[in-house]
Amino acid sequence: MTSQPVPSPADSADPADPPSLTEVETHGVERIPDADRTARPLDLFRLAFGGANTFATCVLGAFPILFGLSFWQGLAATLLGVVTGALILAPMAVFGPVNGTNNAVSSSAHLGVHGRVVGSFLSLLTAVAFFSLSVWSSGDALVGGAHRLFGLPRGNLSYGVAYALFAGLVLAVCVYGFRFMLFVNKVAVASATVLFLLGAIAFAGDFDPSYAGVFTDSADPATSGMFWPSFIGAALIVLSNPVSFGAFLGDWSRYIPAGTPRRRVMGAAFLSQLATLLPFGFGLVTASIIASKAPRYVDPATPDFVGGLLAISPAWYFLPVCLLALIGGMSTGTTALYGTGLDFSSVFPRLSRVRATVLVGVVSIGFIFAGRFGFDLVRSISTFATMIVTCTTPWMVVMMLGFLVRRGWYDPEALQVFNRRQRGGRYWFTHGWNWRGMTAWWVSALVGVLFTNIPGQFVGPLGDLAHGVDIGLPLSLAVAAVLYLALLRLFPEPRAAYGPEGARLVRTAETPVPPISGPGAPASPAPVTPLA
């Protein structure tokens, strides 16, 4: 994206041996020391792919069929969603190696020292949504498979035990930290891939690629008129999966050395999402079989993908389904929960990373049980996830454009001002808020929600203006890009917020910024002046 930073001697030195798997990670969101950056782009690929190579992704992959598309139409919507989402996601991987911290902290440079809490809030909501989806889908599959194999009763007790098992295992892995999570995902990537390929054998005889869906030549005009809304809606639900990783990529890529070529880091993130065509394809294929052989399970009013999968599976595939559920639940849950606990510890500094992870995990588990047994939110989680992504994507646009205009230059000390409970620095802007980035984010997020149209689930107040087509996310992307760049040009940021090469595409102002003050700051701090 931009010129590479000059590696420091520490970047060039041989990295220290990585800690053992059972050593609890002590790093929070402070900058990771160069000697501790032992991860590779391949590790980023494993974590991002492992977090999506799961049963929860299969459930999302079934939505094109639930929306009435044919197999080929559903495949086109899936490809569109995955590729577009991967392109949006990939640049978010570079912040970790550059700054050695997570993406929420890096957002201080564009939303302000206090404005960075927006990223923390979005990552918390995303983690709860996808952690819940993972636990519910995997728990249902495990209980259903055990019922078919061993006659286990499918009551609330069985589901509660399964959910608690998944959630407890995920929380334990997240407490140990990055290395243990990386080990789990290494195992998950290989084993889940094998189990999905076994599924190709299990369902090969039943699969018919000519499955027509409801949008056929004989469909009535009202049905035909719903094709594009359904196609775009299905593609956006698929797109929500790769985009959901945007707030989390820095949690893992911060362990990659700063001198690593950025094209390799972005390439790992992009390819990790292309690889998710495997679980998406599994969901799409099996959903088309379910629609043909057991259509009651794909009723849009009461969809039950897991039940339908078990209904059409040969007996010998019940055990692989249970294993997929266990492995997938662990993998998705850890990637969702780890980063949120990490970031929560910076918002509330009295909490260590471990304590913050436990707190967020307990709250999330409470939501899972309340949502499943108290309020029946299971069928609403896909809508919840889509809405979160609609609000997260404009934040990602601000981050990426901010990286572009800054030429990839950041001040690591100024990024840590919020975490250290200090004041001032290059990213203080207006009382800790950069109203340019904040305005671009909230306006575009609001526009996205207003124009959202998910057939049969949620329609925003302006959602019908495009004849039922969901234009919320594309519109929010465009509004965020145009508005943010316009605000940067009309209301220039201080020159000190940019690196030695100055700004790209926008103007700057020769405005002094306050020195960093507070705990740990120099006794007589000098004002921050614009760079020469």
Side-chain angles (χ1 to χ4, degrees), residues 224-284:
S224 298
M226 287 298 296
F227 171 74
W228 284 112
S230 298
F231 181 88
I232 299 298
L236 290 176
I237 286 180
V238 171
L239 181 145
S240 72
N241 198 63
V243 171
S244 70
F245 286 93
F248 302 125
L249 282 188
D251 303 334
W252 317 320
S253 63
R254 67 197 177 112
Y255 278 97
I256 297 175
T260 304
R262 290 171 188 167
R263 65 180 183 278
R264 291 183 58 200
V265 179
M266 290 191 295
F270 180 78
L271 292 176
S272 71
Q273 299 310 303
L274 289 190
T276 64
L277 288 171
L278 175 64
F280 272 118
F282 181 89
L284 179 67

Short mmCIF file of all heavy atoms in Angstrom, two decimals, residues 224-284:
data_model
loop_
_atom_site.label_atom_id
_atom_site.label_comp_id
_atom_site.label_asym_id
_atom_site.label_seq_id
_atom_site.Cartn_x
_atom_site.Cartn_y
_atom_site.Cartn_z
N SER A 224 -40.78 -13.35 -8.78
CA SER A 224 -39.67 -12.95 -9.64
C SER A 224 -39.10 -11.59 -9.23
O SER A 224 -37.89 -11.36 -9.32
CB SER A 224 -40.13 -12.90 -11.10
OG SER A 224 -40.56 -14.17 -11.55
N GLY A 225 -39.96 -10.71 -8.77
CA GLY A 225 -39.52 -9.39 -8.35
C GLY A 225 -38.64 -9.40 -7.12
O GLY A 225 -37.98 -8.40 -6.82
N MET A 226 -38.61 -10.52 -6.41
CA MET A 226 -37.78 -10.64 -5.20
C MET A 226 -36.41 -11.21 -5.48
O MET A 226 -35.62 -11.40 -4.55
CB MET A 226 -38.51 -11.51 -4.18
CG MET A 226 -39.68 -10.85 -3.51
SD MET A 226 -39.17 -9.37 -2.57
CE MET A 226 -38.11 -10.11 -1.34
N PHE A 227 -36.10 -11.50 -6.77
CA PHE A 227 -34.82 -12.16 -7.05
C PHE A 227 -33.63 -11.31 -6.62
O PHE A 227 -32.77 -11.76 -5.86
CB PHE A 227 -34.69 -12.50 -8.54
CG PHE A 227 -33.31 -12.98 -8.90
CD1 PHE A 227 -32.88 -14.24 -8.52
CD2 PHE A 227 -32.42 -12.14 -9.57
CE1 PHE A 227 -31.59 -14.67 -8.82
CE2 PHE A 227 -31.13 -12.57 -9.86
CZ PHE A 227 -30.73 -13.84 -9.50
N TRP A 228 -33.55 -10.07 -7.12
CA TRP A 228 -32.38 -9.26 -6.80
C TRP A 228 -32.28 -8.91 -5.31
O TRP A 228 -31.17 -8.97 -4.75
CB TRP A 228 -32.35 -8.00 -7.65
CG TRP A 228 -31.91 -8.30 -9.06
CD1 TRP A 228 -32.65 -8.22 -10.20
CD2 TRP A 228 -30.61 -8.76 -9.45
NE1 TRP A 228 -31.91 -8.61 -11.29
CE2 TRP A 228 -30.64 -8.94 -10.86
CE3 TRP A 228 -29.43 -9.04 -8.78
CZ2 TRP A 228 -29.55 -9.38 -11.59
CZ3 TRP A 228 -28.33 -9.48 -9.50
CH2 TRP A 228 -28.38 -9.65 -10.88
N PRO A 229 -33.38 -8.58 -4.64
CA PRO A 229 -33.27 -8.41 -3.19
C PRO A 229 -32.72 -9.65 -2.49
O PRO A 229 -31.91 -9.55 -1.57
CB PRO A 229 -34.70 -8.10 -2.76
CG PRO A 229 -35.32 -7.46 -3.96
CD PRO A 229 -34.71 -8.17 -5.13
N SER A 230 -33.18 -10.83 -2.94
CA SER A 230 -32.73 -12.08 -2.32
C SER A 230 -31.26 -12.35 -2.65
O SER A 230 -30.47 -12.77 -1.79
CB SER A 230 -33.59 -13.24 -2.77
OG SER A 230 -34.93 -13.06 -2.39
N PHE A 231 -30.87 -12.11 -3.89
CA PHE A 231 -29.48 -12.36 -4.31
C PHE A 231 -28.52 -11.45 -3.56
O PHE A 231 -27.51 -11.91 -3.00
CB PHE A 231 -29.36 -12.13 -5.82
CG PHE A 231 -27.98 -12.39 -6.36
CD1 PHE A 231 -27.60 -13.66 -6.77
CD2 PHE A 231 -27.04 -11.36 -6.46
CE1 PHE A 231 -26.32 -13.90 -7.27
CE2 PHE A 231 -25.76 -11.59 -6.95
CZ PHE A 231 -25.41 -12.87 -7.36
N ILE A 232 -28.83 -10.13 -3.54
CA ILE A 232 -27.96 -9.19 -2.83
C ILE A 232 -27.95 -9.47 -1.33
O ILE A 232 -26.90 -9.42 -0.67
CB ILE A 232 -28.40 -7.75 -3.10
CG1 ILE A 232 -28.31 -7.43 -4.60
CG2 ILE A 232 -27.57 -6.77 -2.29
CD1 ILE A 232 -26.91 -7.53 -5.16
N GLY A 233 -29.12 -9.79 -0.78
CA GLY A 233 -29.19 -10.10 0.65
C GLY A 233 -28.35 -11.31 1.02
O GLY A 233 -27.64 -11.31 2.04
N ALA A 234 -28.39 -12.36 0.17
CA ALA A 234 -27.57 -13.55 0.43
C ALA A 234 -26.09 -13.22 0.34
O ALA A 234 -25.28 -13.67 1.17
CB ALA A 234 -27.94 -14.66 -0.56
N ALA A 235 -25.70 -12.44 -0.67
CA ALA A 235 -24.29 -12.07 -0.83
C ALA A 235 -23.79 -11.26 0.36
O ALA A 235 -22.66 -11.43 0.82
CB ALA A 235 -24.10 -11.28 -2.13
N LEU A 236 -24.64 -10.38 0.90
CA LEU A 236 -24.23 -9.55 2.03
C LEU A 236 -24.07 -10.37 3.31
O LEU A 236 -23.20 -10.09 4.13
CB LEU A 236 -25.23 -8.42 2.24
CG LEU A 236 -25.23 -7.32 1.16
CD1 LEU A 236 -26.32 -6.31 1.42
CD2 LEU A 236 -23.86 -6.64 1.08
N ILE A 237 -24.94 -11.38 3.48
CA ILE A 237 -24.78 -12.24 4.65
C ILE A 237 -23.48 -13.03 4.55
O ILE A 237 -22.74 -13.20 5.54
CB ILE A 237 -25.99 -13.18 4.80
CG1 ILE A 237 -27.20 -12.39 5.30
CG2 ILE A 237 -25.69 -14.33 5.75
CD1 ILE A 237 -28.45 -13.20 5.49
N VAL A 238 -23.15 -13.50 3.35
CA VAL A 238 -21.86 -14.17 3.15
C VAL A 238 -20.72 -13.19 3.40
O VAL A 238 -19.72 -13.53 4.07
CB VAL A 238 -21.78 -14.75 1.73
CG1 VAL A 238 -20.37 -15.27 1.43
CG2 VAL A 238 -22.80 -15.88 1.56
N LEU A 239 -20.84 -11.97 2.88
CA LEU A 239 -19.80 -10.96 3.05
C LEU A 239 -19.57 -10.62 4.51
O LEU A 239 -18.46 -10.25 4.91
CB LEU A 239 -20.19 -9.72 2.25
CG LEU A 239 -19.24 -8.52 2.26
CD1 LEU A 239 -19.26 -7.82 0.91
CD2 LEU A 239 -19.62 -7.51 3.34
N SER A 240 -20.61 -10.75 5.34
CA SER A 240 -20.46 -10.41 6.75
C SER A 240 -19.41 -11.26 7.44
O SER A 240 -18.81 -10.83 8.42
CB SER A 240 -21.81 -10.55 7.47
OG SER A 240 -22.18 -11.91 7.62
N ASN A 241 -19.18 -12.47 6.94
CA ASN A 241 -18.21 -13.35 7.59
C ASN A 241 -16.79 -12.83 7.46
O ASN A 241 -16.10 -12.64 8.48
CB ASN A 241 -18.34 -14.77 7.04
CG ASN A 241 -17.71 -15.80 7.94
OD1 ASN A 241 -18.13 -15.98 9.08
ND2 ASN A 241 -16.68 -16.47 7.46
N PRO A 242 -16.26 -12.58 6.24
CA PRO A 242 -14.88 -12.04 6.19
C PRO A 242 -14.75 -10.66 6.82
O PRO A 242 -13.76 -10.38 7.50
CB PRO A 242 -14.58 -12.00 4.68
CG PRO A 242 -15.89 -12.10 3.99
CD PRO A 242 -16.78 -12.88 4.89
N VAL A 243 -15.75 -9.79 6.63
CA VAL A 243 -15.66 -8.44 7.18
C VAL A 243 -15.65 -8.48 8.71
O VAL A 243 -15.05 -7.61 9.36
CB VAL A 243 -16.80 -7.57 6.65
CG1 VAL A 243 -16.87 -6.23 7.37
CG2 VAL A 243 -16.63 -7.33 5.15
N SER A 244 -16.27 -9.49 9.30
CA SER A 244 -16.32 -9.58 10.77
C SER A 244 -14.94 -9.71 11.39
O SER A 244 -14.76 -9.44 12.57
CB SER A 244 -17.20 -10.76 11.19
OG SER A 244 -16.56 -12.00 10.90
N PHE A 245 -13.94 -10.12 10.60
CA PHE A 245 -12.59 -10.26 11.13
C PHE A 245 -11.83 -8.93 11.15
O PHE A 245 -10.72 -8.87 11.67
CB PHE A 245 -11.79 -11.27 10.28
CG PHE A 245 -12.18 -12.70 10.51
CD1 PHE A 245 -13.14 -13.30 9.71
CD2 PHE A 245 -11.59 -13.45 11.50
CE1 PHE A 245 -13.52 -14.62 9.90
CE2 PHE A 245 -11.95 -14.77 11.71
CZ PHE A 245 -12.92 -15.36 10.91
N GLY A 246 -12.43 -7.86 10.58
CA GLY A 246 -11.70 -6.61 10.45
C GLY A 246 -11.20 -6.04 11.76
O GLY A 246 -10.08 -5.51 11.84
N ALA A 247 -12.01 -6.14 12.80
CA ALA A 247 -11.60 -5.59 14.10
C ALA A 247 -10.59 -6.48 14.81
O ALA A 247 -9.95 -6.03 15.77
CB ALA A 247 -12.83 -5.39 14.98
N PHE A 248 -10.43 -7.73 14.34
CA PHE A 248 -9.61 -8.69 15.07
C PHE A 248 -8.25 -8.98 14.44
O PHE A 248 -7.37 -9.54 15.10
CB PHE A 248 -10.35 -10.03 15.21
CG PHE A 248 -11.68 -9.92 15.90
CD1 PHE A 248 -12.83 -10.39 15.31
CD2 PHE A 248 -11.77 -9.35 17.15
CE1 PHE A 248 -14.06 -10.30 15.94
CE2 PHE A 248 -12.99 -9.24 17.80
CZ PHE A 248 -14.15 -9.71 17.19
N LEU A 249 -8.04 -8.66 13.16
CA LEU A 249 -6.81 -9.07 12.50
C LEU A 249 -5.56 -8.56 13.22
O LEU A 249 -4.55 -9.26 13.30
CB LEU A 249 -6.79 -8.58 11.05
CG LEU A 249 -7.62 -9.37 10.04
CD1 LEU A 249 -7.35 -8.86 8.64
CD2 LEU A 249 -7.34 -10.85 10.12
N GLY A 250 -5.62 -7.34 13.74
CA GLY A 250 -4.46 -6.80 14.44
C GLY A 250 -4.12 -7.58 15.71
O GLY A 250 -2.97 -7.56 16.15
N ASP A 251 -5.12 -8.25 16.32
CA ASP A 251 -4.84 -9.05 17.52
C ASP A 251 -3.82 -10.14 17.23
O ASP A 251 -3.04 -10.51 18.11
CB ASP A 251 -6.14 -9.72 18.01
CG ASP A 251 -7.23 -8.71 18.30
OD1 ASP A 251 -6.90 -7.56 18.60
OD2 ASP A 251 -8.41 -9.10 18.21
N TRP A 252 -3.83 -10.65 16.01
CA TRP A 252 -2.93 -11.75 15.64
C TRP A 252 -1.72 -11.25 14.85
O TRP A 252 -0.61 -11.73 15.06
CB TRP A 252 -3.71 -12.78 14.80
CG TRP A 252 -5.07 -13.07 15.35
CD1 TRP A 252 -5.41 -13.21 16.67
CD2 TRP A 252 -6.29 -13.21 14.62
NE1 TRP A 252 -6.75 -13.44 16.79
CE2 TRP A 252 -7.32 -13.45 15.56
CE3 TRP A 252 -6.62 -13.18 13.27
CZ2 TRP A 252 -8.65 -13.65 15.18
CZ3 TRP A 252 -7.94 -13.38 12.89
CH2 TRP A 252 -8.94 -13.61 13.83
N SER A 253 -1.94 -10.28 13.94
CA SER A 253 -0.82 -9.84 13.10
C SER A 253 0.17 -8.98 13.88
O SER A 253 1.28 -8.74 13.39
CB SER A 253 -1.34 -9.07 11.89
OG SER A 253 -2.01 -7.89 12.26
N ARG A 254 -0.16 -8.54 15.09
CA ARG A 254 0.79 -7.74 15.88
C ARG A 254 2.01 -8.55 16.28
O ARG A 254 3.04 -7.98 16.66
CB ARG A 254 0.09 -7.18 17.12
CG ARG A 254 -0.34 -8.24 18.13
CD ARG A 254 -1.37 -7.71 19.12
NE ARG A 254 -1.80 -8.79 20.02
CZ ARG A 254 -1.53 -8.83 21.32
NH1 ARG A 254 -0.87 -7.84 21.88
NH2 ARG A 254 -1.93 -9.83 22.05
N TYR A 255 1.93 -9.87 16.20
CA TYR A 255 3.08 -10.73 16.50
C TYR A 255 3.95 -10.98 15.28
O TYR A 255 4.93 -11.71 15.35
CB TYR A 255 2.61 -12.06 17.08
CG TYR A 255 2.30 -11.99 18.56
CD1 TYR A 255 1.01 -11.82 19.02
CD2 TYR A 255 3.32 -12.10 19.51
CE1 TYR A 255 0.72 -11.75 20.38
CE2 TYR A 255 3.05 -12.04 20.87
CZ TYR A 255 1.75 -11.86 21.29
OH TYR A 255 1.47 -11.79 22.64
N ILE A 256 3.59 -10.41 14.13
CA ILE A 256 4.40 -10.53 12.91
C ILE A 256 5.42 -9.39 12.91
O ILE A 256 5.08 -8.24 13.19
CB ILE A 256 3.50 -10.45 11.66
CG1 ILE A 256 2.53 -11.64 11.64
CG2 ILE A 256 4.34 -10.44 10.39
CD1 ILE A 256 1.53 -11.58 10.51
N PRO A 257 6.70 -9.66 12.60
CA PRO A 257 7.72 -8.60 12.61
C PRO A 257 7.35 -7.43 11.71
O PRO A 257 6.74 -7.59 10.65
CB PRO A 257 8.98 -9.32 12.09
CG PRO A 257 8.76 -10.75 12.46
CD PRO A 257 7.28 -10.99 12.32
N ALA A 258 7.74 -6.23 12.14
CA ALA A 258 7.37 -5.00 11.41
C ALA A 258 7.96 -4.97 10.01
O ALA A 258 7.38 -4.36 9.11
CB ALA A 258 7.83 -3.78 12.20
N GLY A 259 9.10 -5.61 9.80
CA GLY A 259 9.75 -5.58 8.49
C GLY A 259 9.17 -6.54 7.48
O GLY A 259 9.63 -6.58 6.33
N THR A 260 8.16 -7.32 7.85
CA THR A 260 7.54 -8.27 6.92
C THR A 260 6.86 -7.50 5.78
O THR A 260 6.12 -6.56 6.04
CB THR A 260 6.51 -9.14 7.63
OG1 THR A 260 7.12 -9.79 8.75
CG2 THR A 260 5.94 -10.20 6.68
N PRO A 261 7.11 -7.87 4.51
CA PRO A 261 6.46 -7.16 3.40
C PRO A 261 4.94 -7.13 3.56
O PRO A 261 4.31 -8.15 3.85
CB PRO A 261 6.87 -7.98 2.17
CG PRO A 261 8.16 -8.62 2.56
CD PRO A 261 8.03 -8.92 4.03
N ARG A 262 4.37 -5.97 3.38
CA ARG A 262 2.93 -5.82 3.62
C ARG A 262 2.10 -6.63 2.63
O ARG A 262 0.99 -7.06 2.96
CB ARG A 262 2.57 -4.34 3.56
CG ARG A 262 3.12 -3.57 4.75
CD ARG A 262 2.96 -2.07 4.61
NE ARG A 262 3.67 -1.39 5.69
CZ ARG A 262 3.91 -0.10 5.72
NH1 ARG A 262 3.51 0.66 4.71
NH2 ARG A 262 4.55 0.45 6.73
N ARG A 263 2.60 -6.83 1.43
CA ARG A 263 1.84 -7.62 0.46
C ARG A 263 1.67 -9.06 0.94
O ARG A 263 0.66 -9.70 0.67
CB ARG A 263 2.52 -7.59 -0.90
CG ARG A 263 3.89 -8.26 -0.95
CD ARG A 263 4.51 -8.20 -2.34
NE ARG A 263 5.79 -8.89 -2.39
CZ ARG A 263 6.95 -8.38 -2.02
NH1 ARG A 263 6.97 -7.12 -1.57
NH2 ARG A 263 8.07 -9.07 -2.09
N ARG A 264 2.66 -9.57 1.70
CA ARG A 264 2.55 -10.93 2.23
C ARG A 264 1.51 -10.99 3.34
O ARG A 264 0.75 -11.95 3.45
CB ARG A 264 3.91 -11.41 2.74
CG ARG A 264 4.95 -11.65 1.67
CD ARG A 264 6.23 -12.20 2.28
NE ARG A 264 5.97 -13.43 3.00
CZ ARG A 264 6.78 -13.93 3.94
NH1 ARG A 264 7.88 -13.27 4.29
NH2 ARG A 264 6.48 -15.06 4.55
N VAL A 265 1.49 -9.97 4.18
CA VAL A 265 0.52 -9.93 5.27
C VAL A 265 -0.90 -9.81 4.72
O VAL A 265 -1.80 -10.56 5.12
CB VAL A 265 0.83 -8.77 6.23
CG1 VAL A 265 -0.20 -8.72 7.35
CG2 VAL A 265 2.24 -8.91 6.81
N MET A 266 -1.09 -8.89 3.78
CA MET A 266 -2.42 -8.74 3.18
C MET A 266 -2.80 -9.98 2.38
O MET A 266 -3.96 -10.39 2.37
CB MET A 266 -2.46 -7.50 2.29
CG MET A 266 -2.42 -6.19 3.05
SD MET A 266 -2.80 -4.75 2.00
CE MET A 266 -1.42 -4.79 0.88
N GLY A 267 -1.82 -10.58 1.70
CA GLY A 267 -2.10 -11.79 0.94
C GLY A 267 -2.57 -12.93 1.82
O GLY A 267 -3.47 -13.70 1.45
N ALA A 268 -1.97 -13.05 3.02
CA ALA A 268 -2.39 -14.11 3.94
C ALA A 268 -3.84 -13.90 4.37
O ALA A 268 -4.62 -14.85 4.44
CB ALA A 268 -1.47 -14.13 5.16
N ALA A 269 -4.20 -12.65 4.66
CA ALA A 269 -5.58 -12.36 5.07
C ALA A 269 -6.55 -12.62 3.92
O ALA A 269 -7.63 -13.18 4.12
CB ALA A 269 -5.69 -10.92 5.55
N PHE A 270 -6.18 -12.21 2.71
CA PHE A 270 -7.06 -12.41 1.55
C PHE A 270 -7.26 -13.89 1.25
O PHE A 270 -8.39 -14.36 1.08
CB PHE A 270 -6.45 -11.69 0.34
CG PHE A 270 -7.28 -11.82 -0.92
CD1 PHE A 270 -8.41 -11.04 -1.10
CD2 PHE A 270 -6.91 -12.71 -1.91
CE1 PHE A 270 -9.17 -11.16 -2.25
CE2 PHE A 270 -7.67 -12.84 -3.06
CZ PHE A 270 -8.80 -12.06 -3.23
N LEU A 271 -6.17 -14.65 1.21
CA LEU A 271 -6.27 -16.07 0.89
C LEU A 271 -7.01 -16.85 1.97
O LEU A 271 -7.69 -17.84 1.67
CB LEU A 271 -4.87 -16.65 0.69
CG LEU A 271 -4.12 -16.15 -0.55
CD1 LEU A 271 -2.70 -16.72 -0.58
CD2 LEU A 271 -4.86 -16.52 -1.83
N SER A 272 -6.89 -16.40 3.22
CA SER A 272 -7.61 -17.10 4.29
C SER A 272 -9.11 -17.05 4.06
O SER A 272 -9.84 -17.99 4.41
CB SER A 272 -7.26 -16.48 5.65
OG SER A 272 -7.83 -15.18 5.80
N GLN A 273 -9.59 -15.96 3.47
CA GLN A 273 -11.03 -15.85 3.22
C GLN A 273 -11.44 -16.58 1.94
O GLN A 273 -12.53 -17.15 1.88
CB GLN A 273 -11.43 -14.38 3.15
CG GLN A 273 -11.17 -13.62 4.44
CD GLN A 273 -11.73 -14.34 5.66
OE1 GLN A 273 -12.91 -14.65 5.73
NE2 GLN A 273 -10.85 -14.63 6.63
N LEU A 274 -10.58 -16.59 0.93
CA LEU A 274 -10.89 -17.40 -0.25
C LEU A 274 -11.00 -18.87 0.13
O LEU A 274 -11.82 -19.61 -0.42
CB LEU A 274 -9.81 -17.22 -1.32
CG LEU A 274 -9.76 -15.88 -2.05
CD1 LEU A 274 -8.81 -15.97 -3.24
CD2 LEU A 274 -11.14 -15.44 -2.53
N ALA A 275 -10.17 -19.29 1.08
CA ALA A 275 -10.21 -20.69 1.52
C ALA A 275 -11.53 -21.04 2.19
O ALA A 275 -11.93 -22.22 2.23
CB ALA A 275 -9.05 -20.97 2.47
N THR A 276 -12.26 -20.04 2.70
CA THR A 276 -13.55 -20.34 3.35
C THR A 276 -14.62 -20.72 2.35
O THR A 276 -15.74 -21.07 2.75
CB THR A 276 -14.05 -19.12 4.16
OG1 THR A 276 -14.31 -18.02 3.27
CG2 THR A 276 -13.04 -18.71 5.21
N LEU A 277 -14.30 -20.70 1.06
CA LEU A 277 -15.25 -21.24 0.08
C LEU A 277 -15.52 -22.72 0.35
O LEU A 277 -16.55 -23.24 -0.07
CB LEU A 277 -14.71 -21.04 -1.34
CG LEU A 277 -14.74 -19.59 -1.85
CD1 LEU A 277 -13.98 -19.48 -3.17
CD2 LEU A 277 -16.18 -19.12 -2.02
N LEU A 278 -14.60 -23.39 1.06
CA LEU A 278 -14.82 -24.79 1.42
C LEU A 278 -16.02 -24.94 2.36
O LEU A 278 -16.98 -25.64 2.02
CB LEU A 278 -13.55 -25.39 2.04
CG LEU A 278 -13.67 -26.82 2.58
CD1 LEU A 278 -13.98 -27.79 1.45
CD2 LEU A 278 -12.37 -27.22 3.30
N PRO A 279 -16.03 -24.30 3.54
CA PRO A 279 -17.22 -24.44 4.40
C PRO A 279 -18.46 -23.76 3.81
O PRO A 279 -19.57 -24.26 3.98
CB PRO A 279 -16.80 -23.80 5.72
CG PRO A 279 -15.68 -22.88 5.37
CD PRO A 279 -14.95 -23.56 4.24
N PHE A 280 -18.27 -22.63 3.12
CA PHE A 280 -19.43 -22.00 2.47
C PHE A 280 -20.03 -22.94 1.42
O PHE A 280 -21.26 -23.07 1.33
CB PHE A 280 -19.03 -20.68 1.82
CG PHE A 280 -19.11 -19.48 2.72
CD1 PHE A 280 -17.98 -18.75 3.03
CD2 PHE A 280 -20.32 -19.09 3.27
CE1 PHE A 280 -18.04 -17.64 3.86
CE2 PHE A 280 -20.41 -17.98 4.10
CZ PHE A 280 -19.27 -17.26 4.40
N GLY A 281 -19.16 -23.56 0.64
CA GLY A 281 -19.65 -24.49 -0.37
C GLY A 281 -20.34 -25.69 0.24
O GLY A 281 -21.36 -26.17 -0.28
N PHE A 282 -19.80 -26.18 1.35
CA PHE A 282 -20.43 -27.30 2.05
C PHE A 282 -21.84 -26.92 2.48
O PHE A 282 -22.80 -27.68 2.31
CB PHE A 282 -19.58 -27.68 3.27
CG PHE A 282 -20.12 -28.85 4.05
CD1 PHE A 282 -19.74 -30.15 3.73
CD2 PHE A 282 -20.98 -28.65 5.11
CE1 PHE A 282 -20.23 -31.23 4.45
CE2 PHE A 282 -21.48 -29.72 5.84
CZ PHE A 282 -21.10 -31.02 5.51
N GLY A 283 -21.99 -25.72 3.06
CA GLY A 283 -23.31 -25.28 3.49
C GLY A 283 -24.26 -25.11 2.33
O GLY A 283 -25.44 -25.48 2.42
N LEU A 284 -23.76 -24.56 1.22
CA LEU A 284 -24.60 -24.34 0.04
C LEU A 284 -25.06 -25.66 -0.56
O LEU A 284 -26.26 -25.85 -0.87
CB LEU A 284 -23.83 -23.52 -1.00
CG LEU A 284 -24.55 -23.21 -2.30
CD1 LEU A 284 -25.73 -22.27 -2.05
CD2 LEU A 284 -23.58 -22.59 -3.32
#
